[in-house]
Amino acid sequence: MVKNYRGVQEVKPVVIETQAISVKDYMSTRLITFDPEQSIMEVVDQLLTHRISGAPVVNHMGELVGVISEGDCLKEVVKGKYHNLPILGGKVKDHMASNVIRIHPDTNILEAAKMFLEMKIRRFPVQDDHGRLIGQISQKDVMRAVKNLKSENWH
């Protein structure tokens, strides 16, 4: 029988480098926002000017009250053209989505990707623990995050 002359060896755990991939690291923080009382035409102009597809709607206290998208605006534009109305009189509050699904900044980016796929939503407002709107994460932001990840050790 052969005995090891070095004695009992301490087995060191394998350290795996993990990547922090939170929503807060990839969300947009410089947001275009709209007021519930703004006209749909103002929203259309801003969406086109800034080349965005939608934005949060905040009240006079800066609280998130909804989201308005180009799809919401398109419905009003088509209705106006169909009825041959020259000016759209609709207000944001009448056309925005008010049952908005929010996301926390510490949410894992892959969990956010899963939410996008399951809910078929294009953007999520990001709110902190105090309910303040601090950003927005889009599908494009998630794709950028995943593209920048190493191909192993996601968490």
Side-chain angles (χ1 to χ4, degrees), residues 103 107-118 124 142 146:
I103 196 166
T107 302
N108 180 293
I109 203 78
L110 297 175
E111 182 61 30
K114 181 179 173 192
M115 290 171 67
F116 278 119
L117 293 172
E118 289 174 352
F124 290 111
V142 172
V146 172

Side-chain angles (χ1 to χ4, degrees), residues 117-129:
L117 293 172
E118 289 174 352
M119 297 179 194
K120 300 194 183 342
I121 294 175
R122 295 179 68 172
R123 73 198 59 77
F124 290 111
V126 181
Q127 285 186 304
D128 65 12
D129 292 328

Side-chain angles (χ1 to χ4, degrees), residues 32-49 52-57 66-81 85-97:
I32 303 296
T33 60
F34 295 106
D35 184 277
E37 295 299 322
Q38 277 184 279
S39 76
I40 290 296
M41 272 319 290
E42 289 177 280
V43 175
V44 169
D45 288 340
Q46 290 296 312
L47 294 179
L48 292 172
T49 299
I52 56 176
S53 61
V57 179
V67 171
I68 188 87
S69 70
E70 59 191 357
D72 299 324
C73 295
L74 187 60
K75 290 174 194 171
E76 185 66 13
V77 169
V78 168
K79 186 170 88 175
K81 294 299 180 187
L85 299 173
I87 299 174
L88 299 173
K91 299 224 180 260
V92 170
K93 67 181 179 183
D94 300 323
H95 301 284
M96 69 182 190

Side-chain angles (χ1 to χ4, degrees), residues 15 41 45 49 53 58 61 63 65 78 88 93 101 115 130 138-139 143 147 153:
V15 177
M41 272 319 290
D45 288 340
T49 299
S53 61
V58 295
M61 295 173 53
E63 300 167 326
V65 294
V78 168
L88 299 173
K93 67 181 179 183
I101 298 169
M115 290 171 67
H130 304 290
S138 68
Q139 291 181 3
M143 288 191 307
K147 180 179 177 275
N153 303 331

Side-chain angles (χ1 to χ4, degrees), residues 23 28-29 79 121 135:
V23 164
S28 300
T29 56
K79 186 170 88 175
I121 294 175

